[in-house]
Amino acid sequence: MISIPVEHGLLLATILFCLGLLGVLVRRNIIFVLMSMEIMFNAVGLAFISGGSRWHQADGQIMFMLVLTLAAAEVAVGLALVLQLYKRFKTVDIDIVSEMKG
Amino acid sequence: MLDILWLVPTFPLVGFLLLACCALPKKIASWVGVGSVGLSALMTLIIAIELLNLPVTEQVFRQTLWQWFVSGDLHVAFTLYLDPLALVMMCIITGVGFLIHLYSVGYMADDPGFSRFFAYMNLFVSAMLVLVLGDNLVLLYLGWEGVGLCSYLLIGFWYEKPENGYAARKAFIVTRIGDTSMALGLFLLFMHLGTLDIQQLMQSAGQTWTSGSSMPTLAAALLLGGALGKSAQLPLQTWLPDAMAGPTPISALIHAATMVTAGVYLIARTHELFLLAPDVLFIVAIIGALTLLISGFTALVQTDIKRILAFSTMSQLGYMFLALGVGAWSAAIFHLMTHAFFKALLFLASGAVIICMHHEQDIFKMGGLRKCLPVSFWSFMIGGLALAALPLTSGYYSKHEILAATFAFEGAGNNLWAAGVFGALITGIYTSRLIFIVFFGEDKTHAQESIGLSIKLPLLILCALSLLGGMIQVPLESVFPIVAESPHMKGMVNGMTSLAPFIGLFVAYLFFYLKPNLPQTLVNTYPGRLLQRFWFSGWGFDWLYQKLLINPFMWFVRVNKKDVVDSLYRLIAWVTRMLHRLLSLTQTGRVQWYAAGIALGVVAIVGLGVWRDHLWF
């Protein structure tokens, strides 16, 4: 069994996380924002898995299960919001919905 | 049976609560209002009989109700202390108070604020009883402030008229100056002697301080300040004449018979302290003599029936202070008692006149009322005779005792006595002037005496007390140091003391009855007019205070309209508001900005955690 060094796993996770964050920050289409958040979730999950396999602990995988559940819940709520948004504004552009300001 | 002492102040308090909280119909309100004080008077009677049957040295009773508060070394218990001095005050408050309450039922019958009036009156009686029964100075101060509050409420009882509210505020603020001084005195006493319990305080003051040293002098002077304010003596006397804005029973109860004597009571109660400060005691005598002369002259030229009586009250309080100053303690309390009788009578009688004249108070619009108002006339006559201290009336005995003690006083005794006798002469003049103008002379109006039994009965009883009150022996031997054998004046001095009121009477007879035009001719000359205006304004004290205190204060208020001190707090508020504006700029409603903020925040916090050791803090 070829073992992948933990640094590689973490590096990949970091890159994925940053890409996801960038997506969240710059995309205007709310569906893409949600997808970018998914990427961030998975990057975090990957970091957990690599950590777990490095120290031979099951904790990393358990945490990943938790992240998956969280992601599922987030998508359920998020998509419902997107539907509502589209119904009201006939658009999925996130900048249009900037009414809640101080 | 002395255990029922606590009931005495409680009845009026319950009466107050009932009247204040429930909207009672007039009939029940009058029963509650008068009944509560009547019950108190009854209890007082029982207690008096009980206490006076004890041997003289044991005439002291103490009743602790509960611990009021404890703060550090200061333990203040709600303790009532009864001794003959407190008993005399209690009898005056509940007895005269009850008669005045009864009178008020008739006097205030048509007033829309009927039960409010009785609520305040009951609260007043209760507070005054706490004042005289208080075992420690804190409790006394509670009653002291309580009566001050009631005085304020009752002077401004007819609050629709702005000048009544002004008079009420004036009374409150002027007495507050004295009260502040008294509070400082309390602090000083507690700081140096570690207790405020009156009996302990007096004892340890005598042990700690030597007579005439600076500490007791300062403490006594501060307490004197409080007494001056409450008893309307120079220089805090200006509030009392204006206090006549209240209903007449109030003037009788609070501003003549009871509350204004609180200052006299305070000095008598703490006389051991004052004996340690002979200088202050001498000042008390001087202030008394000055006040009695100044207010006597002022009363000579007033035209408002109640103002004349108000100035005469000040003058009589001056006699009491004179007596206190020369160490004639029981004479002062005796005069306090007889004064309560005849001054209450005079005020109530003037109230009856005012009712029958449809609220006319100018004596020059009255005249010849002798025939149409017989009850008021005779009451006024008896009260006036007692006030002028004609022989055989109650006022004669008490005033005579004071003047005798003053004459025997070493040092300035003769001068003080001369002032007192001259004051008695003036008292005779202004009293008979009042009676001559109001009840004799030509008829100016036609009045009908329409007063009910509830007005006539108190007048009758007070008439009897004013005439015979001099026979009452005030049982104060155990309270005050025994004066070496009551001094006897020599024939000449004695005669002058007794004769002075008669001379006054004769002068008034000459001026205001035989030749009613003579005073007017005198006033029309230049010095006469000047003097008349000067006296009428109460020796210009109001003017002086206006110029010296009020105007500078008003000027300062105008200059400082924006409040310099407040600007600091306004600055703080302004900075906060600006920061708030700044922060609210970040609330754009753009989700991605928020997300960026969160990301940056996380980076900063994580960075802080990772490079913690490399940072400068």
Side-chain angles (χ1 to χ4, degrees):
Chain A
M1 195 172 158
I2 313 156
S3 78
I4 305 166
V6 71
E7 288 84 3
H8 292 191
L10 285 182
L11 198 65
L12 181 61
T14 313
I15 292 168
L16 275 177
F17 188 85
C18 288
L19 282 175
L21 185 61
L22 205 66
V24 168
L25 293 186
V26 301
R27 294 308 293 241
R28 288 170 68 195
N29 189 326
I30 194 162
I31 293 179
F32 280 92
V33 171
L34 281 178
M35 282 164 70
S36 305
M37 279 173 78
E38 251 357 89
I39 293 173
M40 285 165 74
F41 276 127
N42 284 306
V44 172
L46 184 59
F48 274 123
I49 296 288
S50 347
S53 80
R54 165 70 179 74
W55 281 286
H56 306 292
Q57 294 275 332
D59 297 11
Q61 294 178 25
I62 293 169
M63 286 308 284
F64 184 63
M65 303 280 265
L66 199 67
V67 170
L68 271 186
T69 326
L70 210 71
E74 185 257 355
V75 165
V77 176
L79 284 179
L81 281 175
V82 171
L83 277 180
Q84 281 297 320
L85 194 71
Y86 188 72
K87 250 190 203 163
R88 287 215 182 168
F89 298 95
K90 298 285 173 227
T91 172
V92 283
D93 185 346
I94 201 166
D95 281 350
I96 301 295
V97 206
S98 61
E99 277 159 16
M100 283 179 60
K101 58 183 171 203
Chain B
M1 274 304 272
L2 286 176
D3 290 336
I4 56 171
L5 182 61
W6 66 277
L7 284 173
V8 178
T10 307
F11 276 126
L13 188 66
V14 171
F16 159 70
L17 290 175
L18 277 178
L19 290 166
C21 300
C22 323
L24 299 172
K26 232 172 211 184
K27 194 140 189 122
I28 300 174
S30 62
W31 274 102
V32 170
V34 181
S36 61
V37 181
L39 280 175
S40 275
L42 203 65
M43 297 294 150
T44 308
L45 197 66
I46 297 171
I47 290 168
I49 293 169
E50 193 81 13
L51 190 78
L52 294 180
N53 275 335
L54 294 172
V56 173
T57 46
E58 291 170 24
Q59 288 178 350
V60 163
F61 177 71
R62 204 182 244 112
Q63 188 175 32
T64 303
L65 298 180
W66 67 85
Q67 185 80 25
W68 186 12
F69 62 83
V70 177
S71 168
D73 293 337
L74 180 64
H75 295 263
V76 178
F78 209 97
T79 303
L80 304 179
Y81 176 83
L82 180 73
D83 67 349
L85 174 59
L87 183 71
V88 171
M89 293 300 289
M90 222 162 87
C91 289
I92 295 169
I93 296 160
T94 56
V96 176
F98 170 66
L99 293 176
I100 294 173
H101 274 73
L102 190 61
Y103 174 92
S104 309
V105 174
Y107 191 86
M108 301 298 287
D110 301 326
D111 200 280
F114 189 77
S115 49
R116 182 165 59 96
F117 180 81
F118 276 98
Y120 291 163
M121 289 272 272
N122 276 1
L123 182 64
F124 166 77
V125 171
S126 182
M128 189 73 198
L129 286 167
V130 169
L131 194 164
V132 298
L133 288 173
D135 182 42
N136 50 57
L137 284 173
V138 184
L139 204 54
L140 187 147
Y141 197 73
L142 173 75
W144 190 274
E145 294 297 323
V147 294
L149 170 72
C150 293
S151 164
Y152 165 78
L153 290 172
L154 285 164
I155 295 170
F157 182 73
W158 287 316
Y159 54 85
E160 289 93 347
K161 273 194 189 166
E163 62 263 31
N164 292 354
Y166 174 78
R169 283 198 300 281
K170 183 174 175 185
F172 199 67
I173 291 167
V174 174
T175 48
R176 188 47 25 94
I177 297 169
D179 293 354
T180 309
S181 144
M182 184 177 158
L184 290 178
L186 258 57
F187 298 153
L188 188 79
L189 284 173
F190 180 70
M191 211 166 72
H192 285 270
L193 300 176
T195 176
L196 282 174
D197 187 282
I198 296 173
Q199 305 307 317
Q200 278 179 29
L201 197 65
M202 293 304 124
Q203 215 172 13
S204 61
Q207 288 160 358
T208 321
W209 289 332
T210 50
S211 175
S213 59
S214 60
M215 261 314 140
T217 308
L218 186 59
L222 286 171
L223 287 190
L224 173 64
L228 292 182
K230 209 46 129 197
S231 288
Q233 299 292 298
L234 279 177
L236 298 176
Q237 86 285 31
T238 52
W239 65 272
L240 189 60
D242 291 326
M244 298 301 130
T248 310
I250 299 308
S251 309
L253 179 63
I254 299 185
H255 304 117
T258 55
M259 188 193 81
V260 287
T261 60
V264 179
Y265 171 77
L266 175 70
I267 295 180
R269 180 48 91 202
T270 57
H271 66 276
E272 282 106 329
L273 177 67
F274 277 83
L275 282 174
L276 292 175
D279 296 343
V280 178
L281 214 48
F282 187 61
I283 291 174
V284 172
I286 299 275
I287 287 176
L290 278 179
T291 310
L292 78 88
L293 284 178
I294 286 180
S295 44
F297 279 117
T298 314
L300 271 182
V301 295
Q302 297 298 317
T303 56
D304 182 320
I305 186 166
K306 283 178 75 181
R307 275 180 93 85
I308 297 177
L309 293 176
F311 280 110
S312 89
T313 303
M314 274 157 63
S315 165
Q316 299 307 309
L317 288 167
Y319 275 104
M320 293 173 215
F321 270 68
L322 179 62
L324 293 172
V326 300
W329 313 105
S330 32
I333 299 300
F334 187 33
H335 195 54
L336 191 164
M337 183 184 77
T338 57
H339 174 254
F341 296 151
F342 62 70
K343 193 48 67 66
L345 174 63
L346 280 171
F347 265 115
L348 296 189
S350 78
V353 172
I354 291 169
I355 291 189
C356 298
M357 295 291 295
H358 306 291
H359 292 273
E360 176 57 62
Q361 301 193 3
D362 189 342
I363 53 171
F364 287 103
K365 294 192 177 142
M366 305 172 186
L369 293 178
R370 180 169 37 116
K371 279 157 274 168
C372 43
L373 305 178
V375 178
S376 314
F377 168 64
W378 283 108
S379 308
F380 228 104
M381 201 68 186
I382 292 167
L385 291 182
L387 171 62
L390 290 192
L392 299 181
T393 59
S394 61
Y396 171 76
Y397 294 102
S398 53
K399 205 179 267 183
H400 209 75
E401 212 171 292
I402 290 177
L403 288 173
T406 311
F407 189 72
F409 184 62
E410 285 164 37
N414 287 356
N415 294 335
L416 291 174
W417 172 82
V421 170
F422 194 61
L425 174 84
I426 299 170
T427 311
I429 300 180
Y430 69 68
T431 311
S432 13
R433 166 181 178 262
L434 177 60
I435 292 176
F436 282 134
I437 290 177
V438 173
F439 292 103
F440 290 84
E442 58 193 288
D443 297 2
K444 287 189 181 148
T445 52
H446 210 74
Q448 192 77 39
E449 193 162 53
S450 52
I451 48 177
L453 186 66
S454 85
I455 290 183
K456 275 181 191 153
L457 191 67
L459 284 179
L460 219 61
I461 298 173
L462 283 170
C463 278
L465 284 173
S466 300
L467 278 179
L468 307 173
M471 313 288 175
I472 301 173
Q473 291 287 324
V474 276
L476 295 170
E477 307 87 29
S478 61
V479 184
F480 297 123
I482 293 159
V483 188
E485 189 46 40
S486 67
H488 280 290
M489 290 186 281
K490 292 189 207 77
M492 171 77 173
V493 179
N494 197 356
M496 275 176 74
T497 312
S498 307
L499 207 60
F502 283 105
I503 299 174
L505 200 69
F506 179 70
V507 170
Y509 177 71
L510 206 67
F511 272 61
F512 300 104
Y513 189 69
L514 285 185
K515 297 188 171 154
N517 294 327
L518 197 57
Q520 199 51 49
T521 344
L522 275 181
V523 166
N524 281 342
T525 60
Y526 182 67
R529 192 164 55 245
L530 216 60
L531 209 58
Q532 195 261 354
R533 275 179 55 194
F534 183 55
W535 285 352
F536 188 77
S537 66
W539 293 52
F541 271 99
D542 276 328
W543 175 83
L544 191 70
Y545 289 164
Q546 181 79 30
K547 289 268 183 264
L548 268 183
L549 302 168
I550 300 173
N551 285 354
F553 181 73
M554 293 310 280
W555 171 81
F556 182 71
V557 166
R558 262 197 301 280
V559 168
N560 192 21
K561 206 171 181 178
K562 293 216 172 106
D563 200 346
V564 176
V565 181
D566 230 24
S567 58
L568 177 68
Y569 303 103
R570 271 204 298 273
L571 185 73
I572 293 174
W574 181 81
V575 166
T576 316
R577 207 161 43 238
M578 282 302 121
L579 286 177
H580 154 75
R581 288 237 176 100
L582 213 64
L583 274 178
S584 73
L585 282 183
T586 62
Q587 302 286 309
T588 52
R590 287 168 193 272
V591 181
Q592 283 159 334
W593 279 100
Y594 298 168
I598 293 170
L600 276 176
V602 169
V603 167
I605 290 170
V606 169
L608 210 69
V610 172
W611 285 293
R612 188 179 45 200
D613 299 337
H614 303 284
L615 293 171
W616 70 92
F617 52 84

